[in-house]
Every structure is written in structure tokens, then in C-alpha cells.
């Protein structure tokens, strides 16, 4: 019962460990099966068994007979997700810091963020398109869709910053200030380094929520599709393992981003430890 | 941090402006457009009419869609809540090494970083008529004919929802459970509480905010979904957004907006009801 304790494990441990393993199987099983199926041989179909192993379906994805503008969709989704990520980090970290002390209007901002989280994406998609029409602007992936993504990533970022900053002990800041640090020094040399893993979490959320966002993008991307919309179109008209190949490719890109993020955390933690040892 | 009021407002201004521009204004315009008139072949004409609402509310198909959405919401919420609570409980209170607990937690979150549509589609080669599960059942001799209701059914829809959204339950519950002071539990045990007593009277009340937040996520995600229900039910079941989707196809923005307003009101009632149980904001910023 008590974590960190010793002695024999209670029966509930084994029961819940079993549940956990089943859950992991449930999460990963289907995904792994489509990664395997994306290497289906040229004559293979959408289900097991594999009829040989080939890279044909990856070729089909980018080759002459390609089914949609996958390359173009990638070239829009990736920068959009990166810019959304950067904006989400800067804006929600700043706002999170402001929220540490009460200020007039804080609940208005908080409820706006909450509504951004709660309102169904499709509804916001309609709203943003209508807004752009009213203003005489044209919907585009870098304009209206960018705003639509922010309406979803910013509230998430804010919530994560709440969770992270509520664990930050204000005594560190007071100590720094007692030693003569300026506001900026306290922020850049005490607060930011301590909450850095939380900031990485905000960045990862910002990237993924944008990179995979479908309902909010649907009406707001304008004439050029982002990747999730391209995938959506493919699900309705592609009936070959090329669809799975696309799944494998997008997953590899997502994983590359996570690996870069986690790698940077590990690198920074190690450097910090080295600097700590030197002192 | 000692900051002047002006700095504080400067810090929060970008967030406030963007939320106003991309949440408040669009939603208000949806409400405005819902009172406009849609004329076939002509388009949308500014007006103040209740016809769209009357259309939406008097349509029996719409009521059925709402009922079906509520049914999916209920089942998904029940399953994800149970799974999320016990998985978070296992990670926080049963795994003794904190690094192992964090590692297992990350294992749960990894699939979230990949495309939702792909994750949903990945059930097809398993649940399909000639899918892996049917192949297994037939070769094991459990059934002679492929089981048809695995894919393109309410069952497939709920499986996909649970697969996609359980994480939204695990993360907030894990977050609030991890903050529970372990000495409280020792005190309860020393005071003679049973294992279940501790879960019900100590842990459950202390992770209320996580449960509330997770429930809000799951309810709003399921009620706002339209692609899972469309693909996984094979068109046999619908959701509210399905009706909105159809109106949009014919550019009938006024009626789609009226339907959207009704949907938003229902979702907000749900969320407000859940939030009433706990002051999420106070819990989050404490």
C-alpha cells in the first residue's frame, strides 16, 4: 500500500500489474500491427497474413501514382506544428508566470482558456472560418488554421504551466533576490531552469496537438491541406496498404520529435550536474 | 516573483488577445450566424430568424443523433474513468521505484504523440471480418463464421474512443495522485483504515480535481468527435457533429451553426456540472 515500502507486495499489485500490461497491449497492439502491415508485399492486402515483405507501399506513397499531395501536406504540417509549438511555449509560459499572483481579470482569461478547451473543435472551425469571411480574409493553413490550433494548444499549455509552477518553491526566488539578483536574472537563471522539463512538456503538447489536429483544421486550412486532412481523405478513398505506410511515416516523424525533446532534457540535466560538480 | 502589475498584464496579454480572437469572437459569430437565413442557391442572408433552431429541434433524426452521442459519451466516460483511475493508482502507489513509475507513465503517453486518425484506423486489420481477432477465434475453433459485429458497430466506436482518450484521464489523475502526501496514507493505515477504506476515503477525495479535469476532456472529446463515429461505425451510427457536417456540405452555415450552438450548450452544461463538484482552478493553481 505505502509506496516506497518494503515487504511482500499485496495481491492488488499483481491484479493491477496485469491490468496495466493488458492496457499497454491494447494501446500498442493495433499500432504495431499496421506498422508491420505497411511492409506488406506487392500482392498483399489490408489484413494479415503478410504476403512477402516489400517497401512498395512506401514507394506508392511518394511515387508517380501517388494518391494525394502527401509531400505537400508534410511540408505544410511540419512548419505549422513547429511555429505553433514555439508560440505556445512563449505565450503560455509568460501567462503561467502572470497567473502566480491574483490580478484583476484573471478569471476572465482563465474561463476563455477553459472554453477553448471545452468547445468542440468542429464548432470553432466553423466560427473561425465565418470570422475570416466577415473580415474579408481568405482561410489559409498559416493564418486561420494557425489561430485555430492556438485556440487548442494555448489552454493546454496554460494548464501544464499551472501544474508545473504550483510545484515551484518560491523560496528559491526569494533566496536569489536576497543575493541581489534582478527580476530578469531570477527568471532566466532560477525559474526557467527549474521548470524546464515542464516547458519541454508544453512544447511537445504544442507540436503534437497541432501536427495531428483534424477537426479544427478541417474548415480553416483553406485550399491546401495539412497532413491529418490528407490522411482523412485517404481513409475514404485509398484501400491499399499505402495508408498504413503513411501511418508508419507520420509516426516516425512524431517519434523523431519526441526523441529530440527528451534528448535535449537529458543533455541539459547532465550539463547541469556537471556544472554542479565543478562548483 | 515580485513583479509590477504592468509586467503581469504584459505577460498575460498575448494569451488573452489570441483567446479572444480565436475563441470568443468565432463563437459569438457562430451564434450570430445561427439566426441568419439560408436561401438555396443564393447563400446566407443576414436576418433574425428562429427557423434554424426550430429545424434542428423538431428534427427527429437530430434527437436520435444526440441520444446516440450521449450513449457513447456515457460508456466511454465510465470505461476511461475506471481504467484511468486504477492505472494511475497502480503507477503512483504500487510501483515502488519512482523512475520505473515515470517510465511506465511515459509508456502510456507515447501513443498519444502519434496521429489519432492512424491509431483509429489501426483497429481495422484487427477487428475486421477477416481481421486478426476473427482469424484467431476461427482457428481456435471458438466460432465457425467470422464475428461481424467487431467492426462497423457501436462496439468498434467505443473501443476506439477508449483507445484514443484514456490518456486524457490518466494524466490529470496521475498528476493529482502524485501530489498526495504519502504520510496521509500511512496515518490512515495506522488509524486502522482498510486498503479499500484508504482508496475511498483518502485517495479518491484527494484526486477529485484530476478526475474532474479528465472527465471534462473525455466528455468534450467524445461529444465533439465525428471522425471516429463515421469511420468505425461504418455509417451505422451517427453523432451530433454528423448532422453539422452534413449541413456544411451543402453550405448551410446557419443551420449548422444553430446545431453547433445547441451542442456547445449541452457540452457546457456537462462541463459546468463536473466543475461544480470541484473548484478546478483553485486546485490547479494552489
Amino acid at each position: 500500500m505505502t509506496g516506497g515500502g518494503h515487504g511482500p507486495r499485496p495481491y492488488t499489485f499483481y491484479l493491477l500489474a496485469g491490468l496495466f500490461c493488458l492496457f499497454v497491449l491494447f494501446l500498442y497492439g493495433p499500432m504495431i500491427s499496421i506498422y508491420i502491415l505497411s511492409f506488406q508485399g506487392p500482392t498483399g492486402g489490408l489484413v494479415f497474413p503478410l504476403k512477402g515483405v516489400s517497401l512498395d507501399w512506401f514507394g506508392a506513397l511518394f511515387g508517380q501514382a501517388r494518391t494525394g499531395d502527401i509531400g505537400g501536406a508534410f511540408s505544410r504540417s511540419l512548419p505549422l506544428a513547429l511555429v505553433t509549438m514555439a508560440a505556445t511555449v512563449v505565450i503560455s509560459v509568460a501567462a503561467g508566470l502572470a497567473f502566480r499572483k491574483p490580478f484583476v481579470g484573471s478569471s476572465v482569461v482563465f474561463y476563455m482558456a477553459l472554453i477553448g478547451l471545452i468547445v468542440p473543435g468542429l464548432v470553432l472551425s466553423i466560427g473561425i472560418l465565418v470570422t475570416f469571411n466577415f473580415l474579408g480574409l481568405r482561410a489559409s493553413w498559416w493564418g486561420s488554421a494557425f489561430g485555430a490550433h492556438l485556440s487548442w494548444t494555448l489552454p493546454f499549455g496554460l494548464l501544464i504551466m499551472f501544474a508545473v509552477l504550483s510545484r515551484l518553491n518560491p523560496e528559491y526566488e526569494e533566496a536569489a533576490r536576497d543575493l541581489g539578483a534582478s527580476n530578469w536574472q531570477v527568471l532566466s537563471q532560477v525559474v526557467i531552469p527549474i521548470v524546464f522539463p515542464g516547458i519541454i512538456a508544453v512544447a511537445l503538447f504544442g507540436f503534437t496537438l497541432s501536427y495531428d489536429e483534424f477537426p479544427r483544421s478541417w474548415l480553416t486550412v483553406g485550399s491546401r491541406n495539412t497532413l491529418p486532412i490528407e490522411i482523412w481523405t485517404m481513409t475514404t478513398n485509398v484501400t491499399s496498404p499505402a495508408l498504413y505506410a503513411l501511418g508508419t511515416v507520420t509516426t516516425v516523424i512524431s517519434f523523431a520529435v519526441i526523441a529530440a525533446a527528451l534528448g535535449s532534457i537529458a543533455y541539459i540535466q547532465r550539463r547541469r550536474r556537471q556544472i554542479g560538480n565543478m562548483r | 516573483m515580485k513583479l509590477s502589475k504592468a509586467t503581469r498584464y504584459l505577460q498575460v496579454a498575448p494569451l488573452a488577445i489570441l483567446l479572444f480572437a480565436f475563441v470568443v469572437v468565432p463563437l459569438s459569430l457562430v451564434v450570430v450566424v445561427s439566426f441568419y437565413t439560408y436561401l438555396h442557391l443564393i447563400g446566407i442572408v443576414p436576418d433574425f430568424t428562429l427557423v434554424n433552431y426550430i429545424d434542428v429541434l423538431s428534427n427527429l433524426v437530430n434527437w436520435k443523433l444526440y441520444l446516440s452521442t450521449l450513449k457513447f459519451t456515457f460508456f466511454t466516460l465510465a470505461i476511461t474513468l475506471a481504467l484511468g483511475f486504477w492505472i494511475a493508482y497502480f503507477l503512483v502507489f504500487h510501483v515502488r521505484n519512482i523512475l520505473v513509475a515515470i517510465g511506465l507513465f511515459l509508456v502510456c503517453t507515447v501513443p498519444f504523440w502519434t496521429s489519432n486518425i492512424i491509431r483509429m484506423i489501426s483497429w481495422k486489420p484487427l477487428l475486421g471480418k477477416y481481421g486478426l481477432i476473427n482469424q484467431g477465434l476461427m482457428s481456435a475453433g471458438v466460432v465457425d463464421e467470422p464475428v461481424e459485429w467487431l467492426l462497423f458497430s457501436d462496439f468498434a466506436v467505443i473501443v476506439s474512443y477508449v483507445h484514443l482518450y484514456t490518456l486524457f484521464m490518466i494524466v490529470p489523475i496521475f498528476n493529482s495522485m502524485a501530489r498526495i502526501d504519502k504520510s496521509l496514507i500511512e496515518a490512515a493505515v495506522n488509524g486502522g483504515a482498510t486498503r479499500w477504506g484508504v482508496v475511498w476515503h483518502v485517495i479518491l477525495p484527494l484526486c477529485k480535481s484530476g478526475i474532474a479535469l479528465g472527465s471534462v476532456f473525455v466528455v468534450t472529446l467524445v461529444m465533439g468527435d465525428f471522425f471516429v463515429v463515421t469511420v468505425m461505425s461504418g455509417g451505422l451510427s451517427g453523432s451530433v457533429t454528423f448532422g453539422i457536417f452534413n449541413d456544411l456540405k451543402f453550405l448551410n452555415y446557419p443551420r449548422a451553426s444553430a446545431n453547433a450552438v445547441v451542442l456547445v450548450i449541452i457540452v457546457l452544461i456537462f462541463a459546468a456540472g463536473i466543475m461544480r463538484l470541484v473548484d478546478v482552478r483553485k486546485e490547479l493553481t494552489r
Side-chain angles (χ1 to χ4, degrees), chain B residues 178-194:
Chain B
R179 285 198 220 178
I180 297 175
D181 190 344
K182 295 275 195 320
S183 54
L184 278 178
I185 288 154
E186 274 167 40
V189 172
N190 292 343
T194 61

Side-chain angles (χ1 to χ4, degrees), chain A residues 9-33:
Chain A
R9 292 183 184 281
Y11 74 95
T12 50
F13 172 84
Y14 299 99
L15 220 63
L16 289 174
L19 176 76
F20 184 80
C21 292
L22 282 178
F23 180 68
V24 171
L25 186 70
F26 172 76
L27 272 187
Y28 285 83
M31 292 165 62
I32 291 170
S33 66

Side-chain angles (χ1 to χ4, degrees), chain B residues 111-173:
Chain B
F112 170 74
W113 308 114
T114 62
S115 166
N116 271 353
I117 301 178
I118 295 293
R119 286 172 67 197
M120 173 186 78
I121 290 165
S122 67
W123 281 98
K124 283 189 166 181
L126 294 187
L127 297 178
K129 191 173 176 189
Y130 303 103
L132 214 51
I133 292 176
N134 268 327
Q135 287 177 17
L137 287 176
M138 291 196 359
S139 61
V142 182
V143 288
D144 300 324
E145 302 255 300
V147 184
E148 302 256 5
W149 53 264
L150 288 176
L151 188 63
F152 303 137
S153 61
D154 289 356
F155 171 79
V157 173
I158 292 172
V159 164
S160 307
Y161 282 146
V162 172
H163 186 226
L164 293 175
Y165 302 144
T166 302
L167 182 81
F168 286 92
M169 202 59 109
I170 296 179
V171 172
I173 297 180

Side-chain angles (χ1 to χ4, degrees), chain B residues 7-80:
Chain B
T7 329
R8 208 171 285 288
Y9 283 111
L10 216 59
Q11 283 174 332
V12 84
L15 177 77
I17 293 167
L18 283 167
L19 288 177
F20 184 77
F22 288 104
V23 177
V24 177
V25 172
L27 273 182
S28 316
L29 284 179
V30 168
V31 176
V32 170
V33 170
S34 71
F35 293 109
Y36 281 13
T37 307
Y38 170 75
L39 293 174
H40 189 59
L41 297 179
I42 294 172
I44 302 160
V45 184
D47 198 354
F48 186 82
T49 171
L50 292 173
V51 166
N52 303 307
Y53 286 97
I54 295 169
D55 264 11
V56 167
L57 296 175
S58 64
N59 189 341
L60 200 65
V61 177
N62 253 324
W63 285 92
K64 280 189 183 150
L65 290 178
Y66 271 98
L67 219 62
S68 129
T69 301
L70 287 179
K71 178 186 70 187
F72 286 132
T73 308
F74 173 76
F75 281 111
T76 311
L77 186 62
I79 298 170
T80 54

Side-chain angles (χ1 to χ4, degrees), chain A:
Chain A
M1 185 68 241
T2 49
H6 294 284
R9 292 183 184 281
Y11 74 95
T12 50
F13 172 84
Y14 299 99
L15 220 63
L16 289 174
L19 176 76
F20 184 80
C21 292
L22 282 178
F23 180 68
V24 171
L25 186 70
F26 172 76
L27 272 187
Y28 285 83
M31 292 165 62
I32 291 170
S33 66
I34 69 154
Y35 303 148
I36 296 171
L37 282 172
S38 65
F39 295 95
Q40 180 75 280
T43 56
L46 284 163
V47 291
F48 285 101
L50 281 180
K51 291 178 182 159
V53 175
S54 77
L55 290 173
D56 283 23
W57 302 108
F58 290 91
L61 210 52
F62 294 102
Q64 283 296 311
R66 66 184 183 195
T67 40
D69 185 16
I70 299 296
F74 263 122
S75 76
R76 288 183 281 274
S77 270
L78 205 57
L80 177 60
L82 288 172
V83 173
T84 306
M85 175 181 90
T88 305
V89 167
V90 174
I91 295 167
S92 49
V93 169
L97 291 171
F99 265 95
R100 295 180 74 195
K101 290 270 170 59
F103 60 91
V104 180
S106 66
S107 39
V108 175
V109 180
F110 179 77
Y111 282 109
M112 284 201 296
L114 216 55
I115 289 175
L117 274 186
I118 289 172
V119 168
L122 184 63
V123 176
L124 268 187
S125 203
I126 299 172
I128 290 171
L129 181 68
V130 169
T131 310
F132 270 63
N133 282 343
F134 264 88
L135 295 173
L137 299 170
R138 192 174 287 189
S140 62
W141 63 270
W142 46 266
S144 44
F146 177 48
H149 288 189
L150 286 177
S151 74
W152 173 231
T153 58
L154 289 179
F156 254 101
L158 189 66
L159 282 192
I160 298 171
M161 286 318 292
F162 280 171
V164 170
L165 289 170
S166 69
R167 293 198 174 113
L168 174 63
N169 187 345
E171 284 170 12
Y172 293 128
E173 290 153 78
E174 280 160 29
R177 219 176 296 280
D178 289 345
L179 291 170
S182 67
N183 273 339
W184 176 248
Q185 282 173 320
V186 172
L187 180 66
S188 64
Q189 295 183 19
V190 179
V191 176
I192 300 284
I194 295 176
V195 299
F196 193 74
I199 294 177
I200 295 286
V202 174
L204 270 180
F205 264 93
F207 181 86
T208 333
L209 289 176
S210 163
Y211 184 71
D212 294 333
E213 181 56 28
F214 176 68
R216 269 159 236 262
S217 309
W218 185 53
L219 294 171
T220 55
V221 287
S223 51
R224 302 208 165 155
N225 286 347
T226 54
L227 197 58
I229 300 184
E230 203 65 39
I231 299 176
W232 169 254
T233 322
M234 279 184 77
T235 60
T236 47
N237 56 25
V238 175
T239 47
S240 74
L243 188 58
Y244 299 152
L246 180 59
T248 306
V249 173
T250 61
T251 308
V252 166
I253 290 182
S254 299
F255 281 178
V257 172
I258 307 171
L262 294 182
S264 67
I265 294 185
Y267 174 75
I268 286 164
Q269 301 285 32
R270 210 178 61 207
R271 272 207 45 179
R272 261 192 220 164
R273 214 169 301 137
Q274 281 169 352
I275 293 170
N277 289 340
M278 281 191 304
R279 285 176 186 158

